[in-house]
Every structure is written in C-alpha cells, then in structure tokens.
Amino acid sequence: MNKEGHSHVFTSESVSEGHPDKVADQISDAILDACLKADRNAHVACETMVGPDVVVNMGEVTCRGFEKIDTAAIARRVAKRIGYDCPGEGFSWDTFKYVSHLHGQSPDIAQGVNRSEKAKQGAGDQGMMFGYATNETESFMPAPVVYSHGLLKMFATLRHSGKLPWLRPDAKSQLSVVYADGRPVRIDTVVVSHQTTKAGATKKNYATLKRLAAEFLAGTGLLTSRTRFYINPTGQFVIGGPCGDSGLTGRKIIVDTYGGMAAHGGGAFSGKDPSKVDRSAAYYARYAAKNIVAAGYADRCQIQVAYAIGVDTPVSFCVKTFGTAKNGATNERLEQMLASGKVFDFRPYELIRDLRLLVPRGWCYEDTAAYGHFGRDAFPWERLDKVAKLKKALGR
C-alpha cells in the first residue's frame, strides 16, 4: 500500500460536438425538438448516419404537421452551428447530400403507449435503465467524465470565438484519475486528440493545447507535477469529422452518461421522445439518485429501474450504495421508497410530467446531445427539489 492508501485508477473519455457520432446525435435531437414543437404528443425515434458529405435519416416519426418540418434544413443548421463550413474537408453544411427514410411508428408499439387514460400510459419498450450520483464533485458526477467534458467544452468555446482559428470541430479527450479510498486524489494522465487545419498541425500549437488543458485542470485541485499529457499523440489529426469516420446516433452512450463509472442499460437517448423510457426513465433515475446523495443518505447511489412494454408500473427497482449508505438508509429502504411512488413516481406519464419533458423550458433536446446528459444544471433532472421530501419519508 502506498501513501495514497488503497488506490486505483479510473479512466473516462469525452468526445466533442464535432465528433461524427455526436453530429448524428445532435441532428436526431434537433429533429425531435422540431417535432415536439409542432406536436407535443409526437412519437419520435429518429436515427441519423453521417459520412463523407452525406447525412441520412431513418426511423419512425408520428407527428401532426410533420410534412411541414424541413429535416434537411435542420441537419444543415446543426452542421453549420458545429462548424463544418469547409467543403474542401469532405463534409460541409452547404454541400452534403441529404437522404431521409423516416416513416410512421409501428401500430404494435403505439397501442401500448397511446392510452385513452393518459395516466396509464405504458412504457414505450421493455428494458432496464440506470441512474447514478456521487458526491465526489459539485455536480454529483464522477470526476473523470466531468473534467473530460470540461476540457472539450473549453476548446470548443475558444474555437467558436476565433481565438484558436486552427482548431476544427472533431476532438476527443480522456482523463485517468487516481482514487484513494474511493475519493479522487490526482489526475494521472490527460489525452487530447483535437482536429486542426493542415497549417495548424504544429508542435507550437500542440504546446498551446497542453498549456490550456493544464490551466483548466489546475482548477480541479487534482493536477500535479506527475500528471502526464498526450496531445495529438499520433502526430497529426487533420482528416476528421464525418469525412474521417462515419457517425451514428446512439454510439456514445457511455460518454453520454457516467463515463463507465456506473452501469448502463444499453439504450441510447438521442432522437427519442420521452415516451421511450430508455431516455426518460434514465433521466428520472439520475434525478432520484442525485437527490438521495444530496440528502445525505449515501456518498454514491446507483438506481436500476426496469419496465415491460405497454405497462405503466416498473417491474423492479434495484439500489446500490456501494457500502456508503448512512443516516439510517439501506439499499432495501431506498428500494421500498422508490417502489412506493410517494417521492419519485416512475410511471412514464408521471415522470414525464414531473420533469416537463414534453414542454422543455430554458433547454432543448439538442442541448443534451453533446458533452453529457448529466451534471449540467440547465436540465430539470438535475434539480435538488426532492431533498426535503426524502428526509420526511426516510427520516434521519
């Protein structure tokens, strides 16, 4: 055992808004936003594929007024916002070919979701979803994924502002964090691979990226003289984005959630309306886990909830606190509280209403589709408004 006590290293990654898979996610969610604006009861499962100068949409959409929604224009707007504006790079908002094969939702699925009594709305699919929270950071998120996201958001801000004009949209980051006795104590390794222009692929510019990364991470209190940095370790990253690799909706589910620190049910989020519990119940499970940790009942909390298609009540709950439960809480007590529905109601209609997922205020689904769906205060599932109710239900 070393001076850091019982230690281990955990690594998480992030990808930028310009990563091909994230381009696909953002287009899918932008189309979802347009559908919900036209029809709050729209059912959407929109998939996007991107490649060299091509965007393809497939999936199911049932939406009043859908014929008036210009999905091609939405895809081009998203690509332009991200910064794909150079036809010579092989993917540009104003030159890519657009193809759509969107069609109506299967009536076999719709019959379980479209109930005359709205409160009895069934789950849009079977499956299990997970929510997680930890008190190791202010956002109640694991440190490796939070700081991986933060690095890329910082570089994106500098790119959009024009301060680093040689940066291009595609990028990846990865942080390895040393934990001692379950708490993050230092950053061991930082990897940043950022697309640049051909002229921008210089050692001087890579040194700038390293300096900026170190300055950003210094604020975490985890940076040390032992921290290793790898900036564009292959030597050059010029061919990127959808020209360098194809992208698909839903391929970055670990980046979207907890960086691998918690379990994942397997369902992706982007392009799906809230009737799909893959998305909405995962948001609600995060909401519950975060409030449980904030209320002081555990340092770490993972919630699994499972559904049967067309059935409104969850079929099971499983809570893990990894030996950190306190103030009289146990995994069993927390499971009983969740199953009762008195603090958190996991029935699809109720959780959608609780989080106002059909009528977003101050946010949109497109906002969720890059830099993680959790740990960002703009989203309603990050509220800490159930703490008092939890304390009343569970006592101290």
Side-chain angles (χ1 to χ4, degrees):
M1 182 177 294
N2 59 31
K3 65 180 182 179
E4 291 175 341
H6 178 66
S7 65
H8 68 277
V9 179
F10 195 88
T11 301
S12 296
E13 71 164 350
S14 178
V15 298
S16 72
E17 65 199 57
H19 186 281
D21 294 331
K22 285 286 122 193
V23 174
D25 284 343
Q26 289 166 94
I27 291 172
S28 291
D29 270 340
I31 291 172
L32 169 62
D33 284 326
C35 290
L36 290 178
K37 185 176 180 180
D39 177 5
R40 62 179 293 176
N41 295 313
H43 289 163
V44 181
C46 177
E47 311 290 344
T48 303
M49 179 182 72
V50 299
D53 242 10
V54 65
V55 172
V56 179
N57 278 129
M58 299 185 71
E60 301 81 46
V61 175
T62 301
C63 169
R64 291 193 303 273
F66 182 67
E67 67 280 358
K68 298 180 181 179
I69 296 175
D70 189 342
T71 56
I74 291 171
R76 295 188 190 282
R77 175 189 62 76
V78 171
K80 184 178 183 180
R81 173 185 59 74
I82 292 169
Y84 283 110
D85 54 6
C86 183
E89 292 180 347
F91 183 84
S92 182
W93 70 271
D94 55 346
T95 60
F96 66 69
K97 179 182 178 182
Y98 179 78
V99 179
S100 176
H101 292 290
L102 295 166
H103 58 87
Q105 185 182 41
S106 162
D108 291 345
I109 296 175
Q111 68 180 347
V113 177
N114 298 332
R115 299 285 180 84
S116 58
E117 187 180 351
K118 287 187 176 181
K120 292 292 185 180
Q121 174 182 323
D125 200 354
Q126 70 175 46
M128 62 283 188
M129 299 85 215
F130 290 87
Y132 178 78
T134 171
N135 61 11
E136 68 187 62
T137 65
E138 291 183 358
S139 62
F140 294 86
M141 287 287 288
V145 72
V146 166
Y147 302 140
S148 292
H149 288 322
L151 269 179
L152 293 187
K153 285 192 287 185
M154 180 264 293
F155 286 131
T157 298
L158 292 171
R159 175 174 61 84
H160 284 298
S161 72
K163 292 181 179 179
L164 298 179
W166 39 270
L167 287 183
R168 297 302 293 149
D170 196 0
K172 300 178 76 171
S173 65
Q174 181 176 285
L175 260 70
S176 301
V177 176
V178 177
Y179 283 74
D181 298 320
R183 310 299 295 180
V185 294
R186 66 180 177 88
I187 296 171
D188 182 75
T189 309
V190 180
V191 182
V192 175
S193 295
H194 208 303
Q195 183 187 16
T196 70
T197 62
K198 181 70 173 178
T202 66
K203 291 182 178 179
K204 180 181 178 181
N205 286 341
Y206 296 171
T208 297
L209 294 180
K210 179 181 177 179
R211 174 180 59 80
L212 291 170
E215 289 175 356
F216 173 82
L217 293 172
T220 68
L222 301 177
L223 202 64
T224 74
S225 60
R226 300 161 62 186
T227 303
R228 296 173 294 174
F229 285 83
Y230 296 98
I231 309 297
N232 282 12
T234 64
Q236 180 174 287
F237 181 13
V238 173
I239 300 173
C243 184
D245 193 8
S246 62
L248 295 171
T249 301
R251 274 208 303 204
K252 286 293 178 284
I253 58 177
I254 300 304
V255 170
D256 284 344
T257 53
Y258 308 102
M261 188 71 78
H264 196 295
F269 299 155
S270 290
K272 297 178 181 178
D273 74 88
S275 73
K276 281 71 173 175
V277 285
D278 274 347
R279 182 173 210 160
S280 55
Y283 289 174
Y284 208 64
R286 160 66 178 176
Y287 180 40
K290 184 177 180 180
N291 275 266
I292 287 168
V293 173
Y297 291 111
D299 293 331
R300 299 168 60 203
C301 180
Q302 176 181 281
I303 295 171
Q304 183 202 59
V305 58
Y307 293 87
I309 187 169
V311 179
D312 64 334
T313 304
V315 300
S316 71
F317 289 96
C318 178
V319 174
K320 292 185 177 181
T321 52
F322 310 97
T324 71
K326 51 191 175 181
N327 292 320
T330 64
N331 293 347
E332 183 179 15
R333 285 195 71 199
L334 293 169
E335 288 167 1
Q336 291 171 348
M337 178 273 298
L338 294 173
S340 75
K342 293 180 179 178
V343 181
F344 299 96
D345 193 334
F346 275 82
R347 291 176 295 172
Y349 175 81
E350 296 298 337
L351 70 86
I352 289 169
R353 184 172 66 170
D354 195 3
L355 297 180
R356 300 185 63 86
L357 296 179
L358 291 176
V359 283
R361 291 184 177 179
W363 64 282
C364 62
Y365 284 99
E366 185 180 345
D367 295 335
T368 70
Y371 309 117
H373 291 244
F374 305 120
R376 299 160 63 189
D377 290 342
F379 304 141
W381 47 92
E382 297 296 323
R383 300 188 317 239
L384 292 175
D385 56 352
K386 299 286 190 180
V387 169
K389 200 168 184 179
L390 276 168
K391 290 179 178 180
K392 184 176 180 181
L394 295 171
R396 302 297 290 188

